[in-house]
Amino acid sequence: MAVYDDNNLFAKILRGEIPCKKVYEDQYALAFHDINPQAPTHILVIPKGKYLSYDDYSQKASAEEIAGLMRAVGTVAREIGLDAPGYRILSNIGTDGGQEVPHLHFHLFGGRRLGPMLKRDN
Ligand code: AMP
């Protein structure tokens, strides 16, 4: 398995070396606006710990970290008002998943009807 890269973009955001438009932070998670939004609301929620992807996280994170991050995702969505109209959570994993930044992140999309889950090829 790949080794966590301390110089990945989200590690730099966590260290405050790159700015972000923060919407939420607690001991487990940081949430901020995606720089290239794919929906009217597009937030990224990331763990504070060093995890490459959901695959890495689901193997190595403690139960406390997992609970903390999952609660943070729901809290963020409620705080920005996505809970009532609804929203989508997505996490890309690895090459086929289209993951670009090698630090686990959950995308939260909302603000309009989001349509089919995946782009249709036919
Ligand atoms: P993924 O393709 O799942 O790895 O998603 C990476 C996401 O990070 C993309 O949606 C990018 O638009 C977003 N992104 C890249 N650079 C930044 C940044 N500096 N601040 C916020 N979001 C970013």
Side-chain angles (χ1 to χ4, degrees):
M1 171 177 280
V3 174
Y4 184 83
D5 173 11
D6 273 314
N7 285 317
N8 79 75
L9 197 59
F10 294 167
K12 290 180 178 175
I13 286 178
L14 280 169
R15 291 196 297 268
E17 295 166 10
I18 291 178
C20 70
K21 282 175 65 183
K22 182 164 83 175
V23 294
Y24 177 84
E25 183 171 15
D26 64 22
Q27 71 184 105
Y28 303 105
L30 176 69
F32 52 90
H33 288 274
D34 195 290
I35 205 164
N36 182 24
Q38 305 292 314
T41 303
H42 183 176
I43 304 293
L44 299 171
V45 187
I46 69 174
K48 292 252 169 115
K50 298 178 180 185
Y51 298 100
L52 284 160
S53 66
Y54 185 83
D55 181 60
D56 189 34
Y57 193 71
S58 62
Q59 292 180 70
K60 297 181 190 160
S62 68
E64 183 184 344
E65 286 177 299
I66 292 171
L69 180 62
M70 292 302 102
R71 286 202 191 282
V73 169
T75 300
V76 169
R78 282 189 297 279
E79 286 193 354
I80 61 176
L82 289 179
D83 52 320
Y87 61 102
R88 182 170 294 162
I89 299 169
L90 181 146
S91 188
N92 295 318
I93 300 150
T95 306
D96 276 5
Q99 183 177 2
E100 293 168 3
V101 180
H103 181 111
L104 170 63
H105 48 284
F106 291 102
H107 297 259
L108 269 63
F109 300 104
R112 66 167 167 80
R113 295 284 174 100
L114 294 167
M117 273 202 295
L118 294 176
K119 179 171 167 286
R120 297 185 198 281
D121 291 328
N122 52 8

